[in-house]
Amino acid sequence: MIEFFRLKTIPEVLEITRRFMPLKVELIPLAKAYNRVLAESITALEDVPEFSRSTMDGYAVRAQDTFGASPGSPALLEVVGEVGMGEEPRVPLGPGQAQRLATGGMLPMDADAVVMLEYTQELADRTLEVYRTVAPLENVVQRGEDVPAGTTLLHTGVRLRPQDIGLLAALGVIEVKVYQKPRVAIIASGDEITSIDVPLQMGQMRDANSYALAGQVAAMGGEPQLLGIVPDRLELLIEKMAVGLAETDLVLLSGGSSVGTRDLAIAAIRSFPQAEVLVHGVAISPGKPTILARIGSQPIFGLPGHPVSAMVIMEVMVRPLLTCLAGESQVRKDWGRTIKAVLSRNLASTIGREDFIRVRLCPAGGNMWAEPVLGKSGLISTMVKADGWIRIPLNTEGLEKGEEVEVILF
Amino acid sequence: MIEFFRLKTIPEVLEITRRFMPLKVELIPLAKAYNRVLAESITALEDVPEFSRSTMDGYAVRAQDTFGASPGSPALLEVVGEVGMGEEPRVPLGPGQAQRLATGGMLPMDADAVVMLEYTQELADRTLEVYRTVAPLENVVQRGEDVPAGTTLLHTGVRLRPQDIGLLAALGVIEVKVYQKPRVAIIASGDEITSIDVPLQMGQMRDANSYALAGQVAAMGGEPQLLGIVPDRLELLIEKMAVGLAETDLVLLSGGSSVGTRDLAIAAIRSFPQAEVLVHGVAISPGKPTILARIGSQPIFGLPGHPVSAMVIMEVMVRPLLTCLAGESQVRKDWGRTIKAVLSRNLASTIGREDFIRVRLCPAGGNMWAEPVLGKSGLISTMVKADGWIRIPLNTEGLEKGEEVEVILF
């Protein structure tokens, strides 16, 4: 049985990754919510702050009582007490009066400004000299000025940053609904692959890919699970894939790039009910021998065996799929994932595929240069020497020295 | 006893943070090493790969046997066997011979190239037709081509990326020496601060800062520990600080900005033997009322109480201190932490301090605009609305609309 698969373009693959649904929602304590994806929009139920408060150490006053005050002609006010921290003032503020309070203290009723300690002097008989005019609302955070009740500042699909967590705390949110963190199984396959903790025999290769891929999964907000190495035997591969499918949300087969290994991966995928091969080969270099399939609603990637190729596919295709599973919307831009640079040499490319070229960044002579790190896609050291990569689009014959390029940073 | 502290400039504070020593070294399994900082340089003890191997499915050949081959005039070779995956070839390759092998397979002795399967046809009598000339080393990764024995690609002080982990696996490194992850205690102080899980009374404020700071610590590669809230009582603050000093590597006091709270923090720090206040006030806005002290060799920060101020100090001063504790050298640049943009309005500043202004990024009309998010430093919502901040240097009166600015991304 011979099947013909047309190479898919990157946009076609991305369209397919978007068909997968976000994972389930879970309720977690706020202290664990950093970098998780919100599965609900959060609306303030009350004003933040709930009362007007001082931003300085000083005296709560009626601003108009200080109008015209200066060092030569101070306003004279009567000190009628002190507002304790965390307490509600006991009495309202009458005309000509002042109440002492510290930063964060609540303004008494009828006070509308705070004069800083530095511009006052309290005399023995509870008389306060004020040496400066303060404007209404000066040194005051008004009730609801941070977040008015009814405002929605954080929406479903946002990945929570430190300040977002702080805002949630300020709103009194103790637990948040977030999407589950994608669990990702990594299976290495191939008769030549051996575990890093046994001595290497001639002809064998250490399982470097599992470790690099696990790092990428963690960097993308997923939870990697190394399931170990499977030799090229169909029943063992099926068995291991079944474990991955049962325990995780996405299975990555880090396979050899040989035709035999690819055939085996396809056969193993097909052995499951409701299996469908969605992508079998992509117009990308490196990374062409990539498989994407679904088993029921669960995605499974067959990654190329060369480490650079596998890492390109992770970045270009697995990342968007994980974004999708994680429920992350693209409201917030990934500013800073790329940087502009000048290409340091000519690069040839082939029409009909997208090329990804590793580059090192070198600032020199006022320019940021992108210097290609050449080398076969089997060499992981080239990734260690590089800072990012540039993309040569599908229908471009190459790029010229001196061209401005966009470097996708690692 | 009145002491006079001169405001320190940011470079002065940074010089002080650099005096703290890296934490201890620990040995951890490679699978846990992603994003940790290497505490040893790693030199390859053997060639990677240890043998020349094929990058394609095909036949190992002597390149010169294919010279002149074309579809019309194929070279004829004798197939003398197959190299099993992960196995050492049983026999060397004689003149005029070919051995079948798959991607990753080891080249037999005296073979120097691989001809791809696509350019061959195997006839019934073990004769192979080769339709293309291959050059020596074509489709071959040579012994030591990835990493020659004796090479040092990863140095002490490097934060490990996915590909670095992959390289370590390829070198057979099972465990790595890394610097301990900085543990950071966060203590909230102030009579007005209440835990987020109790109902808020009038005059009180929820402890939002602890949560925002914990997120920042995690983002900077540290391990946050929330130690809860202490009221403004010296003995309780000392007690809590002692816990933080015993259990972590850095204590952050998230205090009120009031003079009373600051005095209390200083008194608590001074109560420990070998305490020294290193910084008391910084020429920065927001964030002026910042304290940095050491107790023995352990650093302790007194952060300003306003959330925006505290987050600025975390970024500008605590981050470099954590870098230092984490043993991270600055060999690898933080490309992508900043982005260039055009300022959308005039901004005034005061000579003699550095100003940090929150901005939102807005791409429009082919430009990336940096639009200031104005608002008091007590408003955490302004941080939620912003994408990063810009810095107005010490001796600048302000920035003008249309100026190019560098935005430090969150």
Side-chain angles (χ1 to χ4, degrees), chain B residues 302-384:
Chain B
L303 298 173
H306 290 154
V308 181
S309 317
M311 292 188 82
V312 166
I313 297 302
M314 286 295 287
E315 184 61 36
V316 178
M317 292 166 201
V318 180
R319 181 190 285 277
L321 176 62
L322 281 175
T323 299
C324 210
L325 296 180
E328 197 176 356
S329 65
Q330 289 307 298
V331 203
R332 281 207 192 115
K333 291 281 176 195
D334 260 354
W335 317 114
R337 294 244 8 256
T338 63
I339 188 174
K340 284 196 186 349
V342 183
L343 192 59
S344 73
R345 48 167 285 166
N346 294 340
L347 279 175
S349 173
T350 304
I351 294 274
R353 68 179 195 205
E354 295 202 28
D355 280 28
F356 285 79
I357 314 286
R358 290 142 274 170
V359 296
R360 200 181 355 234
L361 287 168
C362 310
N367 273 329
M368 177 66 86
W369 293 91
E371 196 179 83
V373 177
L374 301 174
K376 303 185 178 81
S377 61
L379 309 181
I380 195 164
S381 59
T382 59
M383 288 291 289
V384 173

Side-chain angles (χ1 to χ4, degrees), chain A residues 12 130 344 366 382:
Chain A
E12 285 171 336
V130 175
S344 73
T382 58

Side-chain angles (χ1 to χ4, degrees), chain A residues 30-31 34 46 50-51 53 55 57 85-88 102-103 106 140-141 145-147 153-154 161-167 169-174 191-192 196-197 200 202-208 211-212 215-216 218-219 257-259 306 311 335-336 361 363 368 376 378-381 383-387 409-410, chain B residues 30-31 34 46 50-51 53 55 57 85-88 102-103 106 140-141 145-147 153-154 161-167 169-174 191-192 196-197 200 202-208 211-212 215-216 218-219 257-259 306 311 335-336 361 363 368 376 378-381 383-387 409-410:
Chain A
L30 186 63
Y34 168 66
E46 55 195 38
E50 273 201 285
F51 53 89
R53 64 169 202 253
T55 64
D57 292 355
M85 286 307 283
E87 287 172 13
E88 201 170 350
T103 307
M106 178 173 175
V140 170
V141 167
E145 186 174 338
D146 200 353
V147 191
L153 282 179
L154 294 172
R161 303 170 301 171
Q163 57 263 58
D164 303 330
I165 304 286
L167 178 73
L171 296 176
V173 174
I174 305 164
D191 285 335
E192 79 281 24
I196 64 167
D197 53 9
L200 196 62
M202 201 38 97
Q204 299 182 333
M205 255 185 78
R206 292 200 184 91
D207 176 26
Y211 291 87
Q216 284 188 295
S257 281
S258 78
V259 172
H306 291 154
M311 293 187 82
W335 317 112
L361 288 167
M368 178 66 86
K376 304 187 178 81
L379 309 181
I380 195 165
S381 59
M383 288 291 290
V384 173
K385 292 171 190 161
D387 298 303
L409 295 164
F410 291 148
Chain B
L30 187 64
Y34 168 65
E46 55 195 39
E50 274 200 284
F51 53 88
R53 64 170 202 253
T55 62
D57 292 354
M85 286 307 283
E87 287 173 14
E88 202 171 347
T103 307
M106 178 172 175
V140 170
V141 167
E145 187 175 340
D146 201 351
V147 191
L153 283 179
L154 293 171
R161 303 170 301 172
Q163 58 263 56
D164 303 331
I165 304 284
L167 178 72
L171 296 176
V173 175
I174 305 162
D191 285 336
E192 78 280 24
I196 64 167
D197 52 9
L200 198 61
M202 202 37 100
Q204 298 183 334
M205 253 184 78
R206 290 199 185 95
D207 176 24
Y211 291 87
Q216 284 188 295
S257 281
S258 78
V259 173
H306 290 154
M311 292 188 82
W335 317 114
L361 287 168
M368 177 66 86
K376 303 185 178 81
L379 309 181
I380 195 164
S381 59
M383 288 291 289
V384 173
K385 291 170 190 161
D387 297 304
L409 295 163
F410 292 147

Side-chain angles (χ1 to χ4, degrees), chain A residues 230-265:
Chain A
V230 189
D232 283 329
R233 274 174 52 200
L234 184 62
E235 69 279 14
L236 295 180
L237 189 56
I238 292 172
E239 202 174 283
K240 192 68 99 175
M241 277 174 52
V243 172
L245 288 165
E247 292 181 2
T248 69
D249 307 302
L250 167 63
V251 175
L252 301 179
L253 273 180
S254 160
S257 281
S258 78
V259 172
T261 311
R262 282 210 302 283
D263 291 349
L264 207 62

